Amino acid sequence: MTPVTADDTAGMSPLFARLTRAGQWLRQADRARPWVLDTAVVVLVFVMFCLADLVHGHDDGRREPAARFTRPPLAGMLALQAGLVLPLLWRRRSPSAAFAVITAVFLLQWSLGVLLRADVALLIALYSLTLHGPLRHLAWACAVTAVGLVLVAVRASAVVSVWDALFFLFSAAIAAVAVGMAVRIRRAQLAGLRERAARLEIERDQRSRLAAATERTRVAREMHDIVGHNLAVMITLADAGVYASDVTPERGKQALLLIGDTGRQALGELRRMLGVLREEAEAPALSPQPGIADIDALCARIRSAGPLITYRTAGDTEALDDGVQVTVYRIVQEALTNSLKHAGAGTQVHLAIGVEGARLRIRVQDTGPPGGSRSAGPPNAEGHGLAGMRERAALYGGTVDAGPVPPPGAGWTVRATLDLTPLPGSEGGTP
């Protein structure tokens, strides 16, 4: 149970706040040493109800009513009191057993015509059974109690009216059951609230972990797109520059300039992405996310590394949602990078992007390397590239397929399809 703090009692009156803290302290002490409270209840009942019978009996100035009940010897009175009071020690651990023992002693006592103030233990046992015991035992406990109370009313009929006695006794029994049930329901409600709070906390932690995992996946995908693409272009340009420096130094210089431009662009994209992740008081100036309009510049960078790229579009691509445009750009970027890495600088690439109703189709096909054998393996050789393209397409209900162009060595094709159907509740825009 959560401890009560000063903030919890800030709006309470001083007396109620002190009582709340005292109750919290008592509950904690009871959980640590439950036998202390059980023993205290037994001692309290003995002092308040048993000592008077032992010292004075019922001779308190009303000899005639008292004479109608039997006064056992001291040993017998102690035995009956012990049978009524001592079972209260296990009234919380075994409430049904404690109630059964106390009820048996109670019935024996009244069958002998003995009046004891310690009979209050029956009400305490009934309250404890209602609070701690199985509810299926409560029905027979109430029935047995009713029988015992009728016996008491009959025995006391010479002193008080049977109906008056039954009214008083049944009122006390009903009060014991009602208080026990109210406390039990309250505890069940508190337990339900604590369980719900714990469940909500677990769900919150799970959502946080899922969000963190999703963000890590997104960052990894962005890093792969940015670093993988630009490094592939830079490596190809560097290899071409080394070759050209011996033949035409001017082409080698041009390759170095292109490498610098590509590196600066990659660095700018990394700064933009990492700037979003940093928690700063002032957000850094960020460049916009790339879109379909930036594919021309992307193709120009790839062409500078050697491949010949033919690019065409169909449909109203400029009206697409920003998220769709970023997805298209990244898929095309990855496909062109794979063509550059695996087909080499001498390949020819045909890139087509078309909007057909609620579908957007992307097709990237290269002719393969001039020699007819791809290097290092196909683009979908269990790396992050094809998986990243499929993840991006799946965000828009799309698919990505990749495979060789027959016959073997004739090239490689990447086909992607995105669903542009507006989501329910959107105002006519793309998802």
Side-chain angles (χ1 to χ4, degrees):
M1 181 178 293
T2 306
V4 177
T5 61
D7 293 338
D8 298 329
T9 59
M12 304 178 184
S13 64
L15 177 60
F16 189 75
R18 286 194 294 270
L19 291 176
T20 301
R21 287 192 291 269
Q24 176 74 7
W25 178 83
L26 288 175
R27 284 192 293 271
Q28 292 176 350
D30 182 48
R31 285 196 299 271
R33 297 178 179 83
W35 59 269
V36 174
L37 180 59
D38 295 334
T39 304
V41 170
V42 171
V43 172
L44 185 63
V45 171
F46 178 79
V47 172
M48 293 182 62
F49 299 100
C50 296
L51 283 181
D53 286 338
L54 292 176
V55 176
H56 303 293
H58 298 284
D59 189 8
D60 52 1
R62 294 173 293 176
R63 293 180 178 272
E64 182 178 351
R68 299 180 183 276
F69 297 100
T70 302
R71 178 173 176 81
L74 181 61
M77 184 176 292
L78 284 174
L80 291 175
Q81 289 180 342
L84 290 171
V85 176
L86 289 181
L88 295 178
L89 287 171
W90 64 83
R91 65 183 180 87
R92 293 191 293 179
R93 296 189 299 274
S94 302
S96 298
F99 177 82
V101 173
I102 293 174
T103 303
V105 176
F106 178 84
L107 294 176
L108 173 63
Q109 166 211 328
W110 279 97
S111 65
L112 297 175
V114 177
L115 173 64
L116 293 177
R117 293 180 175 88
D119 289 339
V120 72
L122 179 66
L123 298 178
I124 298 176
L126 183 61
Y127 161 82
S128 300
L129 176 62
T130 306
L131 177 58
H132 302 290
L135 290 179
R136 62 179 182 275
H137 293 173
L138 184 59
W140 67 260
C142 291
V144 173
T145 302
V147 172
L149 296 183
V150 170
L151 176 61
V152 173
V154 172
R155 283 286 187 177
S157 60
V159 179
V160 65
S161 168
V162 173
W163 297 109
D164 291 343
L166 286 177
F167 175 78
F168 172 77
L169 294 173
F170 275 94
S171 297
I174 292 173
V177 173
V179 173
M181 189 62 67
V183 176
R184 181 173 188 142
I185 292 173
R186 177 60 177 168
R187 289 185 178 180
Q189 290 174 340
L190 291 176
L193 291 175
R194 286 194 293 270
E195 181 182 359
R196 183 172 181 271
R199 186 170 63 252
L200 290 176
E201 185 175 356
I202 293 174
E203 291 176 357
R204 181 201 64 193
D205 294 340
Q206 290 176 343
R207 285 195 298 269
S208 298
R209 287 194 292 268
L210 288 175
T214 302
E215 185 64 14
R216 284 197 298 269
T217 302
R218 187 189 70 81
V219 171
R221 188 169 58 229
E222 292 287 340
M223 290 287 290
H224 175 269
D225 290 342
I226 295 172
V227 177
H229 164 73
N230 289 288
L231 282 181
V233 174
M234 293 169 67
I235 291 172
T236 304
L237 288 173
D239 292 339
V242 170
Y243 175 77
S245 62
D246 296 332
V247 182
T248 54
E250 186 64 26
R251 293 295 301 274
K253 179 181 179 181
Q254 183 181 4
L256 292 176
L257 293 175
L258 291 173
I259 290 174
D261 293 339
T262 304
R264 280 188 290 273
Q265 180 186 359
L267 184 60
E269 292 189 20
L270 284 176
R271 284 176 175 171
R272 175 186 57 78
M273 186 183 66
L274 296 178
V276 175
L277 300 179
R278 287 196 300 266
E279 296 181 357
E280 297 179 349
E282 296 182 358
L286 305 179
S287 60
Q289 287 273 39
I292 293 179
D294 299 297
I295 293 181
D296 285 322
L298 173 65
C299 293
R301 288 197 301 273
I302 299 294
R303 289 190 190 99
S304 66
L308 177 61
I309 299 178
T310 302
Y311 171 43
R312 63 182 180 85
T313 61
D316 189 6
T317 58
E318 298 297 329
L320 295 176
D321 181 81
D322 291 342
V324 176
Q325 295 207 30
V326 173
T327 299
V328 173
Y329 180 90
R330 292 304 186 193
I331 291 176
V332 171
Q333 182 185 50
E334 182 62 31
L336 293 179
T337 302
N338 286 333
S339 295
L340 178 61
K341 288 193 297 185
H342 301 290
T347 189
Q348 297 182 18
V349 182
H350 300 279
L351 168 62
I353 301 174
V355 178
E356 302 173 3
R359 297 283 177 178
L360 185 146
R361 304 185 187 278
I362 305 170
R363 184 170 178 271
V364 182
Q365 179 175 336
D366 64 60
T367 60
S373 62
R374 302 180 71 89
S375 63
N380 63 341
E382 289 316 311
H384 297 284
L386 187 57
M389 286 191 284
R390 284 174 173 161
E391 289 175 0
R392 290 183 181 277
L395 294 176
Y396 293 91
T399 59
V400 174
D401 297 317
V405 178
W412 196 271
T413 302
V414 175
R415 289 177 293 272
T417 303
L418 304 183
D419 186 1
L420 304 180
T421 305
L423 292 175
S426 63
E427 299 181 357
T430 54

